[in-house]
Amino acid sequence: MRAFDSIGSTTAEAVAAAAAGDAGGIWFVATEQTAGRGRRGRVWVHTPGNLAATLLIVPDADPALAATLGFVAGVAIGVALDRVLPAGTVKVGLDGADGLDGRSRVALKWPNDVLADGAKLVGIALEATKLGDGRHAIAIGIGVNIVAAPTDLPYPATSLAELGVTRSAQDVFEALSDAWVETFRLWDDGRGISDVLKRWRESAAGIGAPVAVNQNGAIVRGIFETIDDAGRLIVRANDDSRIAITAGDVHFGATASARS
């Protein structure tokens, strides 16, 4: 592990290490991150005391399979949070939906978020770098709201502190690193992706609920039916056709049902 008191971006540090020939399998962790970046180039807001961690992996897998490491990360952080959160059930569904089944306070939102009681607690972002030997290094950035959550977001967000949980970023990181080893072994260089996706579906938010997916301004609405074996979100439209979504911003419940 490479730990920093303050850094611009743990992901940028991991990408730079990959370009310099780092073999991967190492975490970059910071207590303060001043220029974090999230999924699709968005700003990753970080409050000191929250967890900012990036894992650099150079997998022996096809790049298409390497992209499924986001699901590995989701399952791993879900396991870690279940270990640090007190026992309980989801009280409020995402955006008012009730499709979380009450199995856990933690639920996974496609493609790369983790929710607690229906609000965003964790963000996950992957960044790939092609190496000279043709392989791809994957930087898996994970941000967990430990002491505070951003307030200027278009969706609800929460923190462990708001959930009444007193755990440090180090506590969560230790649980995450242990859970990662277990889940990455299950993934098995992509050969075990079906098992990872099965576990992801078991903790998924919103399956069976109305969903709206914003794809650069084009809205796809229907029922969130499942995640297929390629990790695509499958939406059953009003005409009963099934639409496979590879990327987009997902909304459930009242937001999904609203007509623009």
CSV table of all heavy atoms in Angstrom, one decimal, residues 83-117:
chain,number,residue,atom,x,y,z
A,83,ARG,N,-19.9,-5.6,6.8
A,83,ARG,CA,-19.1,-6.0,8.0
A,83,ARG,C,-19.0,-4.9,9.0
A,83,ARG,O,-18.8,-5.1,10.2
A,83,ARG,CB,-17.8,-6.6,7.6
A,83,ARG,CG,-17.9,-7.9,6.9
A,83,ARG,CD,-16.6,-8.4,6.3
A,83,ARG,NE,-16.7,-9.7,5.6
A,83,ARG,CZ,-15.8,-10.3,4.9
A,83,ARG,NH1,-14.6,-9.6,4.7
A,83,ARG,NH2,-16.0,-11.4,4.3
A,84,VAL,N,-19.0,-3.6,8.5
A,84,VAL,CA,-18.8,-2.5,9.4
A,84,VAL,C,-20.1,-1.8,9.8
A,84,VAL,O,-20.1,-1.1,10.9
A,84,VAL,CB,-17.8,-1.5,8.9
A,84,VAL,CG1,-16.5,-2.1,8.6
A,84,VAL,CG2,-18.4,-0.8,7.6
A,85,LEU,N,-21.1,-2.0,9.1
A,85,LEU,CA,-22.4,-1.4,9.4
A,85,LEU,C,-23.1,-2.3,10.4
A,85,LEU,O,-23.1,-3.6,10.3
A,85,LEU,CB,-23.3,-1.3,8.2
A,85,LEU,CG,-23.1,-0.1,7.3
A,85,LEU,CD1,-23.9,-0.2,6.0
A,85,LEU,CD2,-23.4,1.2,7.9
A,86,PRO,N,-23.9,-1.8,11.4
A,86,PRO,CA,-24.7,-2.6,12.3
A,86,PRO,C,-25.8,-3.3,11.5
A,86,PRO,O,-26.2,-2.8,10.4
A,86,PRO,CB,-25.2,-1.6,13.3
A,86,PRO,CG,-25.2,-0.3,12.6
A,86,PRO,CD,-24.0,-0.3,11.6
A,87,ALA,N,-26.3,-4.4,12.0
A,87,ALA,CA,-27.3,-5.1,11.4
A,87,ALA,C,-28.6,-4.2,11.2
A,87,ALA,O,-28.9,-3.4,12.1
A,87,ALA,CB,-27.7,-6.4,12.2
A,88,GLY,N,-29.3,-4.3,10.1
A,88,GLY,CA,-30.5,-3.5,9.9
A,88,GLY,C,-31.0,-3.8,8.5
A,88,GLY,O,-30.4,-4.5,7.7
A,89,THR,N,-32.1,-3.1,8.2
A,89,THR,CA,-32.7,-3.3,6.9
A,89,THR,C,-32.8,-1.9,6.2
A,89,THR,O,-32.8,-0.9,6.9
A,89,THR,CB,-34.1,-3.9,6.9
A,89,THR,OG1,-34.9,-3.1,7.8
A,89,THR,CG2,-34.0,-5.3,7.5
A,90,VAL,N,-33.0,-1.9,4.9
A,90,VAL,CA,-33.2,-0.7,4.2
A,90,VAL,C,-34.6,-0.1,4.6
A,90,VAL,O,-35.6,-0.8,4.6
A,90,VAL,CB,-33.2,-1.0,2.7
A,90,VAL,CG1,-33.7,0.3,1.9
A,90,VAL,CG2,-31.8,-1.4,2.2
A,91,LYS,N,-34.6,1.2,4.9
A,91,LYS,CA,-35.8,1.8,5.4
A,91,LYS,C,-36.5,2.6,4.3
A,91,LYS,O,-37.7,2.7,4.3
A,91,LYS,CB,-35.5,2.8,6.6
A,91,LYS,CG,-34.9,2.1,7.8
A,91,LYS,CD,-34.5,3.1,8.9
A,91,LYS,CE,-33.9,2.4,10.1
A,91,LYS,NZ,-32.7,1.7,9.8
A,92,VAL,N,-35.7,3.1,3.4
A,92,VAL,CA,-36.3,3.9,2.3
A,92,VAL,C,-35.7,3.5,1.0
A,92,VAL,O,-34.4,3.4,0.9
A,92,VAL,CB,-36.0,5.4,2.5
A,92,VAL,CG1,-36.6,6.2,1.4
A,92,VAL,CG2,-36.6,5.9,3.8
A,93,GLY,N,-36.5,3.2,-0.1
A,93,GLY,CA,-35.9,2.8,-1.3
A,93,GLY,C,-35.4,4.0,-2.1
A,93,GLY,O,-35.7,5.2,-1.8
A,94,LEU,N,-34.5,3.8,-3.1
A,94,LEU,CA,-33.9,4.8,-3.8
A,94,LEU,C,-35.0,5.6,-4.5
A,94,LEU,O,-35.9,5.1,-5.2
A,94,LEU,CB,-33.0,4.2,-4.9
A,94,LEU,CG,-32.2,5.2,-5.8
A,94,LEU,CD1,-31.3,6.0,-5.0
A,94,LEU,CD2,-31.5,4.4,-6.9
A,95,ASP,N,-34.9,7.0,-4.4
A,95,ASP,CA,-35.8,7.9,-5.0
A,95,ASP,C,-37.3,7.6,-4.7
A,95,ASP,O,-38.2,7.8,-5.5
A,95,ASP,CB,-35.7,7.9,-6.5
A,95,ASP,CG,-34.4,8.5,-7.0
A,95,ASP,OD1,-33.7,9.2,-6.2
A,95,ASP,OD2,-34.0,8.3,-8.1
A,96,GLY,N,-37.5,6.9,-3.5
A,96,GLY,CA,-38.9,6.6,-3.1
A,96,GLY,C,-39.3,5.2,-3.6
A,96,GLY,O,-40.4,4.8,-3.3
A,97,ALA,N,-38.4,4.5,-4.3
A,97,ALA,CA,-38.8,3.2,-4.8
A,97,ALA,C,-38.7,2.2,-3.7
A,97,ALA,O,-38.1,2.4,-2.7
A,97,ALA,CB,-37.9,2.7,-5.9
A,98,ASP,N,-39.4,1.0,-3.8
A,98,ASP,CA,-39.4,0.0,-2.8
A,98,ASP,C,-38.8,-1.3,-3.3
A,98,ASP,O,-39.1,-2.3,-2.8
A,98,ASP,CB,-40.8,-0.2,-2.2
A,98,ASP,CG,-41.8,-0.6,-3.2
A,98,ASP,OD1,-41.4,-0.8,-4.4
A,98,ASP,OD2,-43.0,-0.8,-2.9
A,99,GLY,N,-37.9,-1.2,-4.3
A,99,GLY,CA,-37.4,-2.4,-4.9
A,99,GLY,C,-36.1,-2.9,-4.3
A,99,GLY,O,-35.4,-3.6,-5.0
A,100,LEU,N,-35.8,-2.6,-3.1
A,100,LEU,CA,-34.5,-3.0,-2.5
A,100,LEU,C,-34.7,-4.3,-1.6
A,100,LEU,O,-33.7,-4.8,-1.2
A,100,LEU,CB,-33.9,-1.9,-1.6
A,100,LEU,CG,-33.7,-0.6,-2.4
A,100,LEU,CD1,-33.1,0.5,-1.5
A,100,LEU,CD2,-32.8,-0.8,-3.6
A,101,ASP,N,-35.9,-4.7,-1.4
A,101,ASP,CA,-36.2,-6.0,-0.7
A,101,ASP,C,-35.8,-6.1,0.7
A,101,ASP,O,-36.0,-7.1,1.4
A,101,ASP,CB,-35.5,-7.2,-1.5
A,101,ASP,CG,-35.9,-7.3,-2.9
A,101,ASP,OD1,-37.1,-6.9,-3.2
A,101,ASP,OD2,-35.2,-7.7,-3.7
A,102,GLY,N,-35.3,-5.0,1.3
A,102,GLY,CA,-35.0,-5.0,2.7
A,102,GLY,C,-34.0,-6.0,3.2
A,102,GLY,O,-34.0,-6.4,4.4
A,103,ARG,N,-33.2,-6.5,2.4
A,103,ARG,CA,-32.2,-7.6,2.8
A,103,ARG,C,-31.0,-7.0,3.5
A,103,ARG,O,-30.4,-7.7,4.3
A,103,ARG,CB,-31.7,-8.4,1.5
A,103,ARG,CG,-32.8,-9.2,0.9
A,103,ARG,CD,-32.3,-9.7,-0.4
A,103,ARG,NE,-32.0,-8.6,-1.3
A,103,ARG,CZ,-31.9,-8.8,-2.6
A,103,ARG,NH1,-32.0,-10.0,-3.2
A,103,ARG,NH2,-31.6,-7.8,-3.4
A,104,SER,N,-30.7,-5.8,3.3
A,104,SER,CA,-29.5,-5.2,3.8
A,104,SER,C,-29.6,-3.7,3.8
A,104,SER,O,-30.3,-3.2,3.0
A,104,SER,CB,-28.2,-5.7,3.1
A,104,SER,OG,-27.1,-5.0,3.4
A,105,ARG,N,-28.8,-3.0,4.6
A,105,ARG,CA,-28.8,-1.6,4.5
A,105,ARG,C,-28.0,-1.2,3.3
A,105,ARG,O,-28.0,0.0,2.9
A,105,ARG,CB,-28.2,-1.0,5.8
A,105,ARG,CG,-29.0,-1.2,7.0
A,105,ARG,CD,-28.4,-0.5,8.2
A,105,ARG,NE,-28.7,1.0,8.1
A,105,ARG,CZ,-28.4,1.8,9.1
A,105,ARG,NH1,-27.7,1.4,10.2
A,105,ARG,NH2,-28.6,3.1,9.0
A,106,VAL,N,-27.2,-2.1,2.8
A,106,VAL,CA,-26.3,-1.8,1.6
A,106,VAL,C,-26.9,-2.4,0.4
A,106,VAL,O,-27.3,-3.5,0.3
A,106,VAL,CB,-24.9,-2.3,1.9
A,106,VAL,CG1,-24.0,-2.1,0.7
A,106,VAL,CG2,-24.3,-1.7,3.1
A,107,ALA,N,-26.9,-1.6,-0.7
A,107,ALA,CA,-27.4,-2.1,-2.0
A,107,ALA,C,-26.5,-1.5,-3.1
A,107,ALA,O,-25.9,-0.4,-3.0
A,107,ALA,CB,-28.8,-1.7,-2.3
A,108,LEU,N,-26.3,-2.3,-4.2
A,108,LEU,CA,-25.4,-1.9,-5.3
A,108,LEU,C,-26.3,-1.3,-6.4
A,108,LEU,O,-27.3,-1.9,-6.8
A,108,LEU,CB,-24.7,-3.1,-5.8
A,108,LEU,CG,-23.9,-3.9,-4.8
A,108,LEU,CD1,-23.2,-5.1,-5.5
A,108,LEU,CD2,-22.8,-3.0,-4.1
A,109,LYS,N,-25.9,-0.1,-6.9
A,109,LYS,CA,-26.6,0.6,-8.0
A,109,LYS,C,-25.8,0.5,-9.2
A,109,LYS,O,-24.6,0.9,-9.2
A,109,LYS,CB,-26.9,2.0,-7.6
A,109,LYS,CG,-27.7,2.8,-8.6
A,109,LYS,CD,-27.8,4.2,-8.3
A,109,LYS,CE,-28.5,5.0,-9.4
A,109,LYS,NZ,-28.4,6.5,-9.3
A,110,TRP,N,-26.4,0.0,-10.3
A,110,TRP,CA,-25.7,-0.1,-11.6
A,110,TRP,C,-25.3,1.3,-12.1
A,110,TRP,O,-26.1,2.2,-12.0
A,110,TRP,CB,-26.6,-0.8,-12.6
A,110,TRP,CG,-25.9,-1.1,-13.9
A,110,TRP,CD1,-25.3,-2.3,-14.2
A,110,TRP,CD2,-25.9,-0.3,-15.0
A,110,TRP,NE1,-24.8,-2.2,-15.5
A,110,TRP,CE2,-25.2,-1.0,-16.0
A,110,TRP,CE3,-26.4,1.0,-15.3
A,110,TRP,CZ2,-25.0,-0.5,-17.3
A,110,TRP,CZ3,-26.2,1.5,-16.6
A,110,TRP,CH2,-25.5,0.8,-17.6
A,111,PRO,N,-24.1,1.5,-12.7
A,111,PRO,CA,-23.1,0.5,-12.8
A,111,PRO,C,-22.1,0.5,-11.7
A,111,PRO,O,-21.6,-0.6,-11.4
A,111,PRO,CB,-22.4,0.9,-14.1
A,111,PRO,CG,-22.5,2.4,-14.1
A,111,PRO,CD,-23.8,2.7,-13.5
A,112,ASN,N,-21.8,1.6,-11.0
A,112,ASN,CA,-20.7,1.7,-10.1
A,112,ASN,C,-20.9,2.4,-8.8
A,112,ASN,O,-20.0,3.0,-8.3
A,112,ASN,CB,-19.5,2.3,-10.8
A,112,ASN,CG,-18.9,1.4,-11.9
A,112,ASN,OD1,-19.0,0.1,-11.7
A,112,ASN,ND2,-18.3,1.9,-12.9
A,113,ASP,N,-22.1,2.4,-8.3
A,113,ASP,CA,-22.4,3.1,-7.0
A,113,ASP,C,-22.8,2.1,-5.9
A,113,ASP,O,-23.3,1.0,-6.3
A,113,ASP,CB,-23.5,4.2,-7.1
A,113,ASP,CG,-23.1,5.4,-7.9
A,113,ASP,OD1,-21.8,5.6,-8.1
A,113,ASP,OD2,-24.0,6.1,-8.4
A,114,VAL,N,-22.6,2.5,-4.7
A,114,VAL,CA,-23.1,1.7,-3.6
A,114,VAL,C,-24.0,2.6,-2.7
A,114,VAL,O,-23.6,3.7,-2.4
A,114,VAL,CB,-22.0,1.1,-2.7
A,114,VAL,CG1,-22.5,0.2,-1.6
A,114,VAL,CG2,-21.0,0.3,-3.6
A,115,LEU,N,-25.2,2.1,-2.3
A,115,LEU,CA,-26.1,2.8,-1.6
A,115,LEU,C,-26.2,2.3,-0.2
A,115,LEU,O,-26.0,1.1,0.1
A,115,LEU,CB,-27.5,2.7,-2.2
A,115,LEU,CG,-27.6,3.0,-3.7
A,115,LEU,CD1,-29.0,2.7,-4.2
A,115,LEU,CD2,-27.2,4.4,-4.1
A,116,ALA,N,-26.6,3.2,0.7
A,116,ALA,CA,-27.0,2.8,2.1
A,116,ALA,C,-28.3,3.5,2.4
A,116,ALA,O,-28.4,4.7,2.3
A,116,ALA,CB,-25.9,3.3,3.1
A,117,ASP,N,-29.3,2.7,2.8
A,117,ASP,CA,-30.6,3.3,3.0
A,117,ASP,C,-31.1,4.1,1.8
A,117,ASP,O,-31.8,5.1,2.0
A,117,ASP,CB,-30.7,4.1,4.3
A,117,ASP,CG,-30.5,3.2,5.5
A,117,ASP,OD1,-30.6,2.0,5.4
A,117,ASP,OD2,-30.4,3.7,6.6
